[in-house]
Amino acid sequence: MNKTFFTKVYIMTAVFVLMAGFTGCGKSKDTTKTVTAVENVIAVTESDTEEVSKLQDKEAVGDYVITLQNTNSWESGGLKCAQFDGIIKNQTDETGKDWKVTVTVPEGTVLESSWNGNYEVNGTVLTITPVDYNTEVEGKGEISFGFILDTKEEYTLQEVVLTMNGVDYVMGDMYNVMSEKTTNNKENGNGGSDEKVTEEKDAAKADISGSPLANHGALSVKGTDIEDKYGNVYQLKGVSTHGLAWFPDYVNKAAFSSLSEYGVNAIRLAMYTAESGGYCNGGDKQQLEGLVDQGVKACTELGMYVIVDWHILSDGDPNIYKEDAKDFFDKVSKKYAGNDNVIYEICNEPCNGTTWEQIKSYAEEIIPVIRANDKEAMISVGTPNWSQDVDIASETPITGYDNIMYAVHFYASTHKAEIRNKVEKARENGIAVIVSECSICEASGNGSVNYDEAAEWMKLINDNNMSVFAWNLSNKDEQSSLLKSYVTKTSGFSKEDFSETGSWFIEQYGK
Ligand code: IDC
């Protein structure tokens, strides 16, 4: 195998869908087996046809994606017949040339029919090469091919190799290995404390293959977008905790894992500052930091992204607790410097007349503190008026640092077209806007929901691939809580456990 595969961070995802049984000539909808290769890593998960089409559509990462799907199976003359339909998708801008696919097949396999390629079975190797009309796979293009194999025993796909531009991508025999690159590839300005090494080891122990983090790695800001490590636009679909001090029980791995089953790929950990029991107002700092650690660890082990949110609110001006903020962000950014999944939100909602100049001057002190430990982490900055005036921030954005985003928050019954226009304005001015908190009720976090406005917001968000976080993961008796108030579970959420608001968000995220 060509070694450049390992060094060039090439990537490929392969899906082999294998029918669980033979059901005559009709199509089977049985649960199937999926093999996914990420960088030099191959993982196996259970999957179905729907997942294959997701990979073929836009969810797959990497330079090339090959899907080989067992679309039909039957028996004929004592032989097992299986049809495979393949697609090679080129996600780069460059033309892919000289493609070749080899598939390991059982001795004695007969190729019954084939299309869109030259096929040859030699011993246990089926080789597929282009025909004259598909020798090249255009940048962002795809080609399809397919074949029917007759075998004595039921056949499950084994090793498959795709060769493209002279590089071999191999999959099929390395399962459930986590990519070291996804946790270790970030430069660590801190030089690597013991703590950090332990964190990384913990992460490496967990099987996060197939997770958002394994598939997308470190995120960055490119213009108005968030991109994954392969340069594809990426959308965080998150849930924010309520105040860590008040609802600590939801900060657990099982809870986040349960949310991930509904399409949630990120968690925001809300660390209130000034409210009673908050970090700067009587809260047990050690306990609160412990909860942040717990939340980050859980997300890391699940391969989810996580925002550490300095949740200013009644303290309107972030400069009030600036020194605490500096200490806090120094500590956390040191600890999590080796984690590609940690994002910092340095002031939730400046308000009470705090100007953009005041926020900016605060940001210009906090960002260097984080950057001293972590050169690349994504950082979100709150904007004036409870993080509504992204347009104002966009007039004189923070300069000199990469990976800076600006927060807009909405509560759909209160914040409508006027705020959406601000978002559009800010984007036109070229800054990246993140909806790091929102709900569909009133700004109080309670009151009636406005589905029409919520839909308008979600359209704006999805049309622009913006990231979005739902407030809040708790069963507090208020409209914005994602769980019903009588649900006491803190993990293992079933659909019925979600409140009206929660149900709306999981419906959106599941799309
Ligand atoms: C609200 C909570 C509520 C809590 C209050 C504390 O939902 O239970 O009593 O904070 O002050 C925000 C804030 C967020 C608010 C939320 C709803 O970021 O902390 O949470 N909201 O009012 N901005 C706009 C709305």
Side-chain angles (χ1 to χ4, degrees), residues 242 246-247 268 272 275 311-314 348-349 386 409-411 415 437 442-446 471-472 476 478 480-481:
H242 199 292
W246 307 315
F247 291 92
R268 175 183 188 240
Y272 276 86
E275 274 60 29
H311 202 85
I312 71 158
L313 189 59
S314 57
N348 167 51
E349 291 186 355
W386 297 276
H409 292 175
F410 72 84
Y411 285 74
H415 309 120
E437 185 188 297
E442 293 165 15
S444 61
N446 215 341
W471 180 262
N472 70 77
K476 185 168 176 176
E478 62 180 4
S480 59
S481 301

PDB file of all heavy atoms in Angstrom, residues 242 246-247 268 272 275 311-314 348-349 386 409-411 415 437 442-446 471-472 476 478 480-481, ligand 1:
ATOM      1  N   HIS A 242     -28.521  23.942  31.251  1.00  0.00           N
ATOM      2  CA  HIS A 242     -28.963  25.079  32.065  1.00  0.00           C
ATOM      3  C   HIS A 242     -27.726  25.448  32.891  1.00  0.00           C
ATOM      4  O   HIS A 242     -26.624  24.923  32.634  1.00  0.00           O
ATOM      5  CB  HIS A 242     -30.150  24.643  32.929  1.00  0.00           C
ATOM      6  CG  HIS A 242     -30.958  25.785  33.457  1.00  0.00           C
ATOM      7  ND1 HIS A 242     -30.453  26.657  34.387  1.00  0.00           N
ATOM      8  CD2 HIS A 242     -32.221  26.205  33.183  1.00  0.00           C
ATOM      9  CE1 HIS A 242     -31.359  27.574  34.662  1.00  0.00           C
ATOM     10  NE2 HIS A 242     -32.459  27.328  33.941  1.00  0.00           N
ATOM     11  N   TRP A 246     -26.947  24.721  38.932  1.00  0.00           N
ATOM     12  CA  TRP A 246     -28.322  24.399  39.331  1.00  0.00           C
ATOM     13  C   TRP A 246     -28.811  23.057  38.805  1.00  0.00           C
ATOM     14  O   TRP A 246     -29.681  22.440  39.375  1.00  0.00           O
ATOM     15  CB  TRP A 246     -29.268  25.522  38.882  1.00  0.00           C
ATOM     16  CG  TRP A 246     -28.784  26.850  39.361  1.00  0.00           C
ATOM     17  CD1 TRP A 246     -28.325  27.122  40.623  1.00  0.00           C
ATOM     18  CD2 TRP A 246     -28.665  28.051  38.609  1.00  0.00           C
ATOM     19  NE1 TRP A 246     -27.930  28.427  40.700  1.00  0.00           N
ATOM     20  CE2 TRP A 246     -28.139  29.033  39.480  1.00  0.00           C
ATOM     21  CE3 TRP A 246     -28.956  28.419  37.300  1.00  0.00           C
ATOM     22  CZ2 TRP A 246     -27.883  30.334  39.078  1.00  0.00           C
ATOM     23  CZ3 TRP A 246     -28.724  29.713  36.909  1.00  0.00           C
ATOM     24  CH2 TRP A 246     -28.188  30.660  37.783  1.00  0.00           C
ATOM     25  N   PHE A 247     -28.278  22.654  37.664  1.00  0.00           N
ATOM     26  CA  PHE A 247     -28.713  21.371  37.089  1.00  0.00           C
ATOM     27  C   PHE A 247     -27.505  20.492  36.736  1.00  0.00           C
ATOM     28  O   PHE A 247     -27.323  20.113  35.578  1.00  0.00           O
ATOM     29  CB  PHE A 247     -29.598  21.618  35.853  1.00  0.00           C
ATOM     30  CG  PHE A 247     -30.933  22.220  36.188  1.00  0.00           C
ATOM     31  CD1 PHE A 247     -31.103  23.597  36.187  1.00  0.00           C
ATOM     32  CD2 PHE A 247     -32.007  21.406  36.535  1.00  0.00           C
ATOM     33  CE1 PHE A 247     -32.325  24.166  36.514  1.00  0.00           C
ATOM     34  CE2 PHE A 247     -33.233  21.973  36.866  1.00  0.00           C
ATOM     35  CZ  PHE A 247     -33.403  23.354  36.862  1.00  0.00           C
ATOM     36  N   ARG A 268     -23.253  22.622  25.021  1.00  0.00           N
ATOM     37  CA  ARG A 268     -22.716  23.878  25.575  1.00  0.00           C
ATOM     38  C   ARG A 268     -22.865  23.814  27.092  1.00  0.00           C
ATOM     39  O   ARG A 268     -23.963  23.532  27.597  1.00  0.00           O
ATOM     40  CB  ARG A 268     -23.509  25.045  25.006  1.00  0.00           C
ATOM     41  CG  ARG A 268     -23.148  26.427  25.568  1.00  0.00           C
ATOM     42  CD  ARG A 268     -24.097  27.415  24.932  1.00  0.00           C
ATOM     43  NE  ARG A 268     -23.855  28.797  25.163  1.00  0.00           N
ATOM     44  CZ  ARG A 268     -24.733  29.613  25.751  1.00  0.00           C
ATOM     45  NH1 ARG A 268     -25.882  29.146  26.219  1.00  0.00           N
ATOM     46  NH2 ARG A 268     -24.470  30.900  25.860  1.00  0.00           N
ATOM     47  N   TYR A 272     -22.708  30.007  34.698  1.00  0.00           N
ATOM     48  CA  TYR A 272     -23.145  31.349  35.091  1.00  0.00           C
ATOM     49  C   TYR A 272     -22.064  32.004  35.944  1.00  0.00           C
ATOM     50  O   TYR A 272     -21.356  31.314  36.687  1.00  0.00           O
ATOM     51  CB  TYR A 272     -24.433  31.269  35.903  1.00  0.00           C
ATOM     52  CG  TYR A 272     -25.695  31.198  35.070  1.00  0.00           C
ATOM     53  CD1 TYR A 272     -26.175  29.987  34.598  1.00  0.00           C
ATOM     54  CD2 TYR A 272     -26.431  32.340  34.782  1.00  0.00           C
ATOM     55  CE1 TYR A 272     -27.344  29.908  33.860  1.00  0.00           C
ATOM     56  CE2 TYR A 272     -27.612  32.278  34.043  1.00  0.00           C
ATOM     57  CZ  TYR A 272     -28.067  31.061  33.586  1.00  0.00           C
ATOM     58  OH  TYR A 272     -29.222  30.994  32.861  1.00  0.00           O
ATOM     59  N   GLU A 275     -24.982  35.285  38.746  1.00  0.00           N
ATOM     60  CA  GLU A 275     -26.200  34.878  39.436  1.00  0.00           C
ATOM     61  C   GLU A 275     -25.811  34.154  40.730  1.00  0.00           C
ATOM     62  O   GLU A 275     -24.722  33.579  40.831  1.00  0.00           O
ATOM     63  CB  GLU A 275     -27.042  33.948  38.534  1.00  0.00           C
ATOM     64  CG  GLU A 275     -27.970  34.678  37.574  1.00  0.00           C
ATOM     65  CD  GLU A 275     -27.246  35.611  36.601  1.00  0.00           C
ATOM     66  OE1 GLU A 275     -26.082  35.337  36.272  1.00  0.00           O
ATOM     67  OE2 GLU A 275     -27.859  36.611  36.192  1.00  0.00           O
ATOM     68  N   HIS A 311     -20.977  32.347  31.256  1.00  0.00           N
ATOM     69  CA  HIS A 311     -22.364  32.781  31.060  1.00  0.00           C
ATOM     70  C   HIS A 311     -22.678  34.066  31.822  1.00  0.00           C
ATOM     71  O   HIS A 311     -23.401  34.074  32.822  1.00  0.00           O
ATOM     72  CB  HIS A 311     -23.289  31.647  31.496  1.00  0.00           C
ATOM     73  CG  HIS A 311     -24.664  31.697  30.908  1.00  0.00           C
ATOM     74  ND1 HIS A 311     -24.984  31.169  29.677  1.00  0.00           N
ATOM     75  CD2 HIS A 311     -25.818  32.208  31.384  1.00  0.00           C
ATOM     76  CE1 HIS A 311     -26.262  31.346  29.435  1.00  0.00           C
ATOM     77  NE2 HIS A 311     -26.798  31.987  30.453  1.00  0.00           N
ATOM     78  N   ILE A 312     -22.131  35.168  31.298  1.00  0.00           N
ATOM     79  CA  ILE A 312     -22.484  36.440  31.946  1.00  0.00           C
ATOM     80  C   ILE A 312     -23.931  36.757  31.592  1.00  0.00           C
ATOM     81  O   ILE A 312     -24.422  36.399  30.519  1.00  0.00           O
ATOM     82  CB  ILE A 312     -21.556  37.607  31.512  1.00  0.00           C
ATOM     83  CG1 ILE A 312     -21.824  38.030  30.064  1.00  0.00           C
ATOM     84  CG2 ILE A 312     -20.083  37.263  31.717  1.00  0.00           C
ATOM     85  CD1 ILE A 312     -21.368  39.445  29.772  1.00  0.00           C
ATOM     86  N   LEU A 313     -24.630  37.393  32.504  1.00  0.00           N
ATOM     87  CA  LEU A 313     -26.024  37.758  32.218  1.00  0.00           C
ATOM     88  C   LEU A 313     -26.377  39.024  33.006  1.00  0.00           C
ATOM     89  O   LEU A 313     -26.274  40.117  32.468  1.00  0.00           O
ATOM     90  CB  LEU A 313     -26.954  36.583  32.555  1.00  0.00           C
ATOM     91  CG  LEU A 313     -28.410  36.732  32.102  1.00  0.00           C
ATOM     92  CD1 LEU A 313     -28.510  36.915  30.587  1.00  0.00           C
ATOM     93  CD2 LEU A 313     -29.242  35.535  32.531  1.00  0.00           C
ATOM     94  N   SER A 314     -26.688  38.867  34.293  1.00  0.00           N
ATOM     95  CA  SER A 314     -27.038  40.079  35.055  1.00  0.00           C
ATOM     96  C   SER A 314     -25.823  40.994  35.226  1.00  0.00           C
ATOM     97  O   SER A 314     -25.957  42.187  35.474  1.00  0.00           O
ATOM     98  CB  SER A 314     -27.626  39.704  36.419  1.00  0.00           C
ATOM     99  OG  SER A 314     -26.719  38.897  37.125  1.00  0.00           O
ATOM    100  N   ASN A 348     -21.393  35.231  27.442  1.00  0.00           N
ATOM    101  CA  ASN A 348     -22.706  34.821  26.932  1.00  0.00           C
ATOM    102  C   ASN A 348     -23.513  35.981  26.342  1.00  0.00           C
ATOM    103  O   ASN A 348     -23.700  36.048  25.132  1.00  0.00           O
ATOM    104  CB  ASN A 348     -23.475  34.147  28.063  1.00  0.00           C
ATOM    105  CG  ASN A 348     -24.947  33.945  27.775  1.00  0.00           C
ATOM    106  OD1 ASN A 348     -25.290  33.410  26.735  1.00  0.00           O
ATOM    107  ND2 ASN A 348     -25.815  34.388  28.683  1.00  0.00           N
ATOM    108  N   GLU A 349     -23.960  36.871  27.212  1.00  0.00           N
ATOM    109  CA  GLU A 349     -24.827  37.947  26.724  1.00  0.00           C
ATOM    110  C   GLU A 349     -24.507  39.272  27.404  1.00  0.00           C
ATOM    111  O   GLU A 349     -25.083  39.604  28.438  1.00  0.00           O
ATOM    112  CB  GLU A 349     -26.307  37.594  26.956  1.00  0.00           C
ATOM    113  CG  GLU A 349     -26.796  36.457  26.098  1.00  0.00           C
ATOM    114  CD  GLU A 349     -28.294  36.209  26.231  1.00  0.00           C
ATOM    115  OE1 GLU A 349     -28.950  36.863  27.069  1.00  0.00           O
ATOM    116  OE2 GLU A 349     -28.805  35.350  25.490  1.00  0.00           O
ATOM    117  N   TRP A 386     -27.762  41.492  24.742  1.00  0.00           N
ATOM    118  CA  TRP A 386     -28.061  40.057  24.903  1.00  0.00           C
ATOM    119  C   TRP A 386     -27.699  39.252  23.650  1.00  0.00           C
ATOM    120  O   TRP A 386     -28.424  38.393  23.200  1.00  0.00           O
ATOM    121  CB  TRP A 386     -29.540  39.836  25.249  1.00  0.00           C
ATOM    122  CG  TRP A 386     -29.953  40.433  26.562  1.00  0.00           C
ATOM    123  CD1 TRP A 386     -29.820  39.867  27.786  1.00  0.00           C
ATOM    124  CD2 TRP A 386     -30.584  41.706  26.764  1.00  0.00           C
ATOM    125  NE1 TRP A 386     -30.305  40.722  28.754  1.00  0.00           N
ATOM    126  CE2 TRP A 386     -30.780  41.850  28.156  1.00  0.00           C
ATOM    127  CE3 TRP A 386     -30.981  42.747  25.915  1.00  0.00           C
ATOM    128  CZ2 TRP A 386     -31.360  42.983  28.707  1.00  0.00           C
ATOM    129  CZ3 TRP A 386     -31.565  43.868  26.470  1.00  0.00           C
ATOM    130  CH2 TRP A 386     -31.744  43.986  27.843  1.00  0.00           C
ATOM    131  N   HIS A 409     -28.187  35.367  19.689  1.00  0.00           N
ATOM    132  CA  HIS A 409     -29.144  34.530  20.418  1.00  0.00           C
ATOM    133  C   HIS A 409     -30.549  34.974  20.058  1.00  0.00           C
ATOM    134  O   HIS A 409     -30.801  36.165  19.898  1.00  0.00           O
ATOM    135  CB  HIS A 409     -28.942  34.684  21.933  1.00  0.00           C
ATOM    136  CG  HIS A 409     -27.636  34.114  22.424  1.00  0.00           C
ATOM    137  ND1 HIS A 409     -27.206  34.238  23.710  1.00  0.00           N
ATOM    138  CD2 HIS A 409     -26.675  33.396  21.773  1.00  0.00           C
ATOM    139  CE1 HIS A 409     -26.030  33.630  23.871  1.00  0.00           C
ATOM    140  NE2 HIS A 409     -25.679  33.125  22.688  1.00  0.00           N
ATOM    141  N   PHE A 410     -31.441  34.015  19.930  1.00  0.00           N
ATOM    142  CA  PHE A 410     -32.843  34.419  19.702  1.00  0.00           C
ATOM    143  C   PHE A 410     -33.801  33.565  20.506  1.00  0.00           C
ATOM    144  O   PHE A 410     -33.505  32.410  20.829  1.00  0.00           O
ATOM    145  CB  PHE A 410     -33.208  34.344  18.206  1.00  0.00           C
ATOM    146  CG  PHE A 410     -33.349  32.934  17.685  1.00  0.00           C
ATOM    147  CD1 PHE A 410     -34.534  32.226  17.833  1.00  0.00           C
ATOM    148  CD2 PHE A 410     -32.304  32.318  17.019  1.00  0.00           C
ATOM    149  CE1 PHE A 410     -34.663  30.927  17.362  1.00  0.00           C
ATOM    150  CE2 PHE A 410     -32.419  31.019  16.534  1.00  0.00           C
ATOM    151  CZ  PHE A 410     -33.608  30.321  16.709  1.00  0.00           C
ATOM    152  N   TYR A 411     -34.921  34.168  20.838  1.00  0.00           N
ATOM    153  CA  TYR A 411     -36.070  33.486  21.423  1.00  0.00           C
ATOM    154  C   TYR A 411     -37.220  33.870  20.504  1.00  0.00           C
ATOM    155  O   TYR A 411     -37.618  35.037  20.443  1.00  0.00           O
ATOM    156  CB  TYR A 411     -36.249  33.918  22.894  1.00  0.00           C
ATOM    157  CG  TYR A 411     -35.194  33.236  23.764  1.00  0.00           C
ATOM    158  CD1 TYR A 411     -33.858  33.648  23.729  1.00  0.00           C
ATOM    159  CD2 TYR A 411     -35.505  32.128  24.538  1.00  0.00           C
ATOM    160  CE1 TYR A 411     -32.881  32.988  24.463  1.00  0.00           C
ATOM    161  CE2 TYR A 411     -34.535  31.454  25.276  1.00  0.00           C
ATOM    162  CZ  TYR A 411     -33.219  31.883  25.234  1.00  0.00           C
ATOM    163  OH  TYR A 411     -32.260  31.216  25.944  1.00  0.00           O
ATOM    164  N   HIS A 415     -37.813  37.619  19.380  1.00  0.00           N
ATOM    165  CA  HIS A 415     -36.822  38.121  18.414  1.00  0.00           C
ATOM    166  C   HIS A 415     -37.155  37.634  17.017  1.00  0.00           C
ATOM    167  O   HIS A 415     -37.156  36.428  16.771  1.00  0.00           O
ATOM    168  CB  HIS A 415     -35.418  37.646  18.821  1.00  0.00           C
ATOM    169  CG  HIS A 415     -35.096  37.948  20.253  1.00  0.00           C
ATOM    170  ND1 HIS A 415     -34.791  36.974  21.175  1.00  0.00           N
ATOM    171  CD2 HIS A 415     -35.070  39.135  20.925  1.00  0.00           C
ATOM    172  CE1 HIS A 415     -34.567  37.535  22.355  1.00  0.00           C
ATOM    173  NE2 HIS A 415     -34.732  38.854  22.227  1.00  0.00           N
ATOM    174  N   GLU A 437     -27.103  30.083  21.451  1.00  0.00           N
ATOM    175  CA  GLU A 437     -28.230  29.854  22.371  1.00  0.00           C
ATOM    176  C   GLU A 437     -29.507  30.321  21.687  1.00  0.00           C
ATOM    177  O   GLU A 437     -29.517  31.372  21.041  1.00  0.00           O
ATOM    178  CB  GLU A 437     -28.019  30.650  23.664  1.00  0.00           C
ATOM    179  CG  GLU A 437     -29.087  30.379  24.715  1.00  0.00           C
ATOM    180  CD  GLU A 437     -28.971  31.320  25.913  1.00  0.00           C
ATOM    181  OE1 GLU A 437     -27.947  31.286  26.619  1.00  0.00           O
ATOM    182  OE2 GLU A 437     -29.929  32.089  26.124  1.00  0.00           O
ATOM    183  N   GLU A 442     -40.553  32.885  24.546  1.00  0.00           N
ATOM    184  CA  GLU A 442     -40.210  34.298  24.771  1.00  0.00           C
ATOM    185  C   GLU A 442     -38.822  34.443  25.400  1.00  0.00           C
ATOM    186  O   GLU A 442     -38.295  33.471  25.943  1.00  0.00           O
ATOM    187  CB  GLU A 442     -41.284  34.929  25.674  1.00  0.00           C
ATOM    188  CG  GLU A 442     -42.621  35.012  24.949  1.00  0.00           C
ATOM    189  CD  GLU A 442     -43.797  35.275  25.884  1.00  0.00           C
ATOM    190  OE1 GLU A 442     -43.573  35.669  27.045  1.00  0.00           O
ATOM    191  OE2 GLU A 442     -44.946  35.058  25.424  1.00  0.00           O
ATOM    192  N   ALA A 443     -38.313  35.657  25.388  1.00  0.00           N
ATOM    193  CA  ALA A 443     -36.941  35.892  25.881  1.00  0.00           C
ATOM    194  C   ALA A 443     -36.777  35.539  27.352  1.00  0.00           C
ATOM    195  O   ALA A 443     -35.672  35.301  27.823  1.00  0.00           O
ATOM    196  CB  ALA A 443     -36.546  37.341  25.655  1.00  0.00           C
ATOM    197  N   SER A 444     -37.888  35.453  28.057  1.00  0.00           N
ATOM    198  CA  SER A 444     -37.823  35.069  29.476  1.00  0.00           C
ATOM    199  C   SER A 444     -37.435  33.605  29.635  1.00  0.00           C
ATOM    200  O   SER A 444     -37.147  33.145  30.735  1.00  0.00           O
ATOM    201  CB  SER A 444     -39.193  35.273  30.114  1.00  0.00           C
ATOM    202  OG  SER A 444     -40.133  34.428  29.444  1.00  0.00           O
ATOM    203  N   GLY A 445     -37.465  32.873  28.542  1.00  0.00           N
ATOM    204  CA  GLY A 445     -37.238  31.428  28.630  1.00  0.00           C
ATOM    205  C   GLY A 445     -38.545  30.705  28.903  1.00  0.00           C
ATOM    206  O   GLY A 445     -38.582  29.486  29.081  1.00  0.00           O
ATOM    207  N   ASN A 446     -39.613  31.471  28.929  1.00  0.00           N
ATOM    208  CA  ASN A 446     -40.930  30.912  29.230  1.00  0.00           C
ATOM    209  C   ASN A 446     -41.956  31.520  28.266  1.00  0.00           C
ATOM    210  O   ASN A 446     -41.572  32.195  27.307  1.00  0.00           O
ATOM    211  CB  ASN A 446     -41.279  31.228  30.691  1.00  0.00           C
ATOM    212  CG  ASN A 446     -42.057  30.093  31.328  1.00  0.00           C
ATOM    213  OD1 ASN A 446     -42.640  29.257  30.630  1.00  0.00           O
ATOM    214  ND2 ASN A 446     -42.071  30.071  32.645  1.00  0.00           N
ATOM    215  N   TRP A 471     -31.438  26.117  24.056  1.00  0.00           N
ATOM    216  CA  TRP A 471     -31.510  26.344  25.491  1.00  0.00           C
ATOM    217  C   TRP A 471     -32.744  25.646  26.012  1.00  0.00           C
ATOM    218  O   TRP A 471     -33.808  25.911  25.446  1.00  0.00           O
ATOM    219  CB  TRP A 471     -31.602  27.868  25.757  1.00  0.00           C
ATOM    220  CG  TRP A 471     -31.682  28.216  27.208  1.00  0.00           C
ATOM    221  CD1 TRP A 471     -32.801  28.502  27.937  1.00  0.00           C
ATOM    222  CD2 TRP A 471     -30.578  28.313  28.116  1.00  0.00           C
ATOM    223  NE1 TRP A 471     -32.472  28.773  29.226  1.00  0.00           N
ATOM    224  CE2 TRP A 471     -31.116  28.656  29.367  1.00  0.00           C
ATOM    225  CE3 TRP A 471     -29.199  28.124  27.990  1.00  0.00           C
ATOM    226  CZ2 TRP A 471     -30.318  28.830  30.505  1.00  0.00           C
ATOM    227  CZ3 TRP A 471     -28.415  28.293  29.104  1.00  0.00           C
ATOM    228  CH2 TRP A 471     -28.978  28.647  30.356  1.00  0.00           C
ATOM    229  N   ASN A 472     -32.789  24.784  26.941  1.00  0.00           N
ATOM    230  CA  ASN A 472     -31.789  24.292  27.845  1.00  0.00           C
ATOM    231  C   ASN A 472     -32.103  22.871  28.263  1.00  0.00           C
ATOM    232  O   ASN A 472     -33.272  22.462  28.280  1.00  0.00           O
ATOM    233  CB  ASN A 472     -31.771  25.191  29.100  1.00  0.00           C
ATOM    234  CG  ASN A 472     -33.040  25.020  29.963  1.00  0.00           C
ATOM    235  OD1 ASN A 472     -33.171  24.030  30.693  1.00  0.00           O
ATOM    236  ND2 ASN A 472     -34.003  25.922  29.868  1.00  0.00           N
ATOM    237  N   LYS A 476     -36.733  21.923  34.264  1.00  0.00           N
ATOM    238  CA  LYS A 476     -37.300  23.062  34.981  1.00  0.00           C
ATOM    239  C   LYS A 476     -38.665  23.386  34.380  1.00  0.00           C
ATOM    240  O   LYS A 476     -38.856  23.263  33.168  1.00  0.00           O
ATOM    241  CB  LYS A 476     -36.357  24.270  34.866  1.00  0.00           C
ATOM    242  CG  LYS A 476     -36.815  25.457  35.677  1.00  0.00           C
ATOM    243  CD  LYS A 476     -35.775  26.537  35.797  1.00  0.00           C
ATOM    244  CE  LYS A 476     -36.365  27.732  36.547  1.00  0.00           C
ATOM    245  NZ  LYS A 476     -35.373  28.782  36.773  1.00  0.00           N
ATOM    246  N   GLU A 478     -40.387  25.422  32.849  1.00  0.00           N
ATOM    247  CA  GLU A 478     -40.463  26.611  31.992  1.00  0.00           C
ATOM    248  C   GLU A 478     -40.405  26.147  30.531  1.00  0.00           C
ATOM    249  O   GLU A 478     -39.875  25.084  30.223  1.00  0.00           O
ATOM    250  CB  GLU A 478     -39.345  27.620  32.304  1.00  0.00           C
ATOM    251  CG  GLU A 478     -37.945  27.104  32.080  1.00  0.00           C
ATOM    252  CD  GLU A 478     -36.861  28.141  32.390  1.00  0.00           C
ATOM    253  OE1 GLU A 478     -37.180  29.251  32.857  1.00  0.00           O
ATOM    254  OE2 GLU A 478     -35.683  27.826  32.152  1.00  0.00           O
ATOM    255  N   SER A 480     -38.770  26.802  27.903  1.00  0.00           N
ATOM    256  CA  SER A 480     -37.550  26.513  27.142  1.00  0.00           C
ATOM    257  C   SER A 480     -36.869  25.214  27.562  1.00  0.00           C
ATOM    258  O   SER A 480     -35.956  24.746  26.877  1.00  0.00           O
ATOM    259  CB  SER A 480     -36.552  27.672  27.259  1.00  0.00           C
ATOM    260  OG  SER A 480     -36.208  27.890  28.607  1.00  0.00           O
ATOM    261  N   SER A 481     -37.270  24.612  28.659  1.00  0.00           N
ATOM    262  CA  SER A 481     -36.644  23.344  29.068  1.00  0.00           C
ATOM    263  C   SER A 481     -36.941  22.277  28.027  1.00  0.00           C
ATOM    264  O   SER A 481     -38.070  22.159  27.549  1.00  0.00           O
ATOM    265  CB  SER A 481     -37.190  22.898  30.426  1.00  0.00           C
ATOM    266  OG  SER A 481     -36.923  23.882  31.379  1.00  0.00           O
TER     267      SER A 481
HETATM  268  C1  IDC B   1     -32.782  31.728  32.091  1.00  0.00           C
HETATM  269  C2  IDC B   1     -33.294  30.390  32.544  1.00  0.00           C
HETATM  270  C3  IDC B   1     -34.062  30.532  33.814  1.00  0.00           C
HETATM  271  C4  IDC B   1     -33.188  31.193  34.848  1.00  0.00           C
HETATM  272  C5  IDC B   1     -32.599  32.480  34.333  1.00  0.00           C
HETATM  273  C6  IDC B   1     -31.544  32.941  35.315  1.00  0.00           C
HETATM  274  O1  IDC B   1     -34.065  29.827  31.518  1.00  0.00           O
HETATM  275  O2  IDC B   1     -34.492  29.284  34.285  1.00  0.00           O
HETATM  276  O3  IDC B   1     -33.941  31.442  36.005  1.00  0.00           O
HETATM  277  O4  IDC B   1     -31.981  32.303  33.077  1.00  0.00           O
HETATM  278  O5  IDC B   1     -31.306  34.245  35.236  1.00  0.00           O
HETATM  279  C7  IDC B   1     -30.936  34.157  28.044  1.00  0.00           C
HETATM  280  C8  IDC B   1     -29.850  33.727  28.933  1.00  0.00           C
HETATM  281  C9  IDC B   1     -30.250  32.534  29.751  1.00  0.00           C
HETATM  282  C10 IDC B   1     -31.687  32.630  30.199  1.00  0.00           C
HETATM  283  C11 IDC B   1     -32.562  32.589  28.936  1.00  0.00           C
HETATM  284  C12 IDC B   1     -34.055  32.641  29.245  1.00  0.00           C
HETATM  285  O6  IDC B   1     -28.644  33.488  28.260  1.00  0.00           O
HETATM  286  O7  IDC B   1     -29.408  32.456  30.863  1.00  0.00           O
HETATM  287  O8  IDC B   1     -31.980  31.514  30.984  1.00  0.00           O
HETATM  288  N1  IDC B   1     -32.185  33.690  28.075  1.00  0.00           N
HETATM  289  O9  IDC B   1     -34.370  33.830  29.889  1.00  0.00           O
HETATM  290  N2  IDC B   1     -30.870  35.062  27.113  1.00  0.00           N
HETATM  291  C13 IDC B   1     -32.084  35.232  26.556  1.00  0.00           C
HETATM  292  C14 IDC B   1     -32.939  34.347  27.159  1.00  0.00           C
END
